[in-house]
Amino acid sequence: QQPVQSPQAVILREGEDAVINCSSSKALYSVHWYRQKHGEAPVFLMILLKGGEQKGHDKISASFNEKKQQSSLYLTASQLSYSGTYFCGTERANFGNEKLTFGTGTRLTIIP
Amino acid sequence: EPEVTQTPSHQVTQMGQEVILRCVPISNHLYFYWYRQILGQKVEFLVSFYNNEISEKSEIFDDQFSVERPDGSNFTLKIRSTKLEDSAMYFCASKRDRGEEKLFFGSGTQLSVL
């Protein structure tokens, strides 16, 4: 079953912050975040493993609440380059061939 | 950074024709995947492949689909008799090992079935 993302779409002015949420009804081993520009392949942002960790680089960070099976992606002081569709991908187990199941996507538009 | 390479970038075919989409995963990667994305929709899992056999396949991956790794470098997706609803962007992906490993995606093949 696919994870559910919210919001579906958001429009921000440059410099504003955004939070994108990803929820699963199943227990998760990990959450991956990807950004996809129109017509391009998804680009990896970060992985979070169960254990409630938080990660970040530059002005993009994420958290993973294992108990709630939820992850949130935080974009602070957004830049024009952040525009795109953000997908979370979830893994239910730590098997090598475990597939990533992608969420419904959140379209982020940054305007000057 | 190493890349997953997909060819062709665009493929146009008539309904009922066979198509083969080609991928060259990163050389030391062990796990291979095909995903597809219908325009404007989410990325959907098709099949995973490890140790020269299919690990898992989705409901989409019916008898019309097959995968092969014929020579240790190429990884192909074949659609035997294409349907209009097979029109989508097809992404190949690979990863090196289990655990905390990111998926590397190719740039995709846009398949249009007329």
Side-chain angles (χ1 to χ4, degrees):
Chain A
Q1 194 166 1
Q2 70 184 51
V4 177
Q5 288 182 235
S6 62
Q8 287 186 323
V10 60
I11 300 174
L12 296 177
R13 291 201 176 278
E14 209 174 352
E16 291 181 335
D17 301 341
V19 180
I20 299 170
N21 299 303
C22 173
S23 296
S24 173
S25 59
K26 306 280 186 184
L28 300 175
Y29 168 72
S30 71
V31 179
H32 301 221
W33 284 97
Y34 285 79
R35 175 171 59 216
Q36 185 181 32
K37 303 272 186 180
H38 182 70
E40 298 179 9
V43 173
F44 171 80
L45 295 175
M46 64 188 79
I47 295 175
L48 299 106
L49 302 182
K50 69 176 186 178
E53 66 171 346
Q54 191 149 353
K55 271 191 179 180
H57 58 83
D58 199 9
K59 295 186 175 114
I60 301 175
S61 62
S63 63
F64 178 22
N65 186 321
E66 180 189 346
K67 287 182 182 175
K68 292 185 178 178
Q69 285 117 235
Q70 267 179 0
S71 177
S72 295
L73 184 72
Y74 307 95
L75 302 109
T76 57
S78 56
Q79 306 165 17
L80 294 175
S81 61
Y82 287 4
S83 290
T85 301
Y86 289 78
F87 290 100
C88 65
T90 58
E91 284 179 315
R92 287 167 52 189
N94 182 23
F95 301 133
N97 54 5
E98 181 71 11
K99 67 178 187 286
L100 267 189
T101 301
F102 284 94
T104 45
T106 296
R107 179 172 292 182
L108 177 65
T109 304
I110 310 295
I111 56 176
Chain B
E1 192 170 59
E3 287 185 346
V4 175
T5 306
Q6 286 186 246
T7 54
S9 55
H10 293 84
Q11 174 90 52
V12 181
T13 190
Q14 295 290 325
M15 191 169 59
Q17 295 295 303
E18 173 183 288
V19 294
I20 297 176
L21 309 183
R22 292 186 164 79
C23 169
V24 180
I26 295 168
S27 61
N28 62 346
H29 283 196
L30 301 177
Y31 302 91
F32 313 110
Y33 305 82
W34 283 99
Y35 285 83
R36 80 171 187 190
Q37 186 177 32
I38 294 169
L39 185 64
Q41 298 185 24
K42 71 180 179 79
V43 179
E44 297 177 290
F45 169 76
L46 291 178
V47 65
S48 57
F49 192 86
Y50 169 71
N51 202 25
N52 284 319
E53 58 183 24
I54 290 175
S55 304
E56 186 177 355
K57 54 186 181 180
S58 71
E59 293 170 355
I60 303 167
F61 195 90
D62 62 22
D63 292 345
Q64 295 301 312
F65 290 84
S66 63
V67 288
E68 261 192 336
R69 190 161 157 78
D71 56 11
S73 60
N74 292 287
F75 180 49
T76 61
L77 175 70
K78 182 194 291 186
I79 309 174
R80 258 180 279 280
S81 177
T82 49
K83 304 189 277 281
L84 295 175
E85 54 265 36
D86 293 329
S87 294
M89 178 74 90
Y90 287 79
F91 291 110
C92 173
S94 69
K95 73 176 181 181
R96 187 173 59 87
D97 205 346
R98 59 186 288 173
E100 190 179 340
E101 289 285 342
K102 70 177 186 180
L103 267 188
F104 288 77
F105 281 87
S107 53
T109 294
Q110 179 65 56
L111 177 65
S112 299
V113 182
L114 306 178

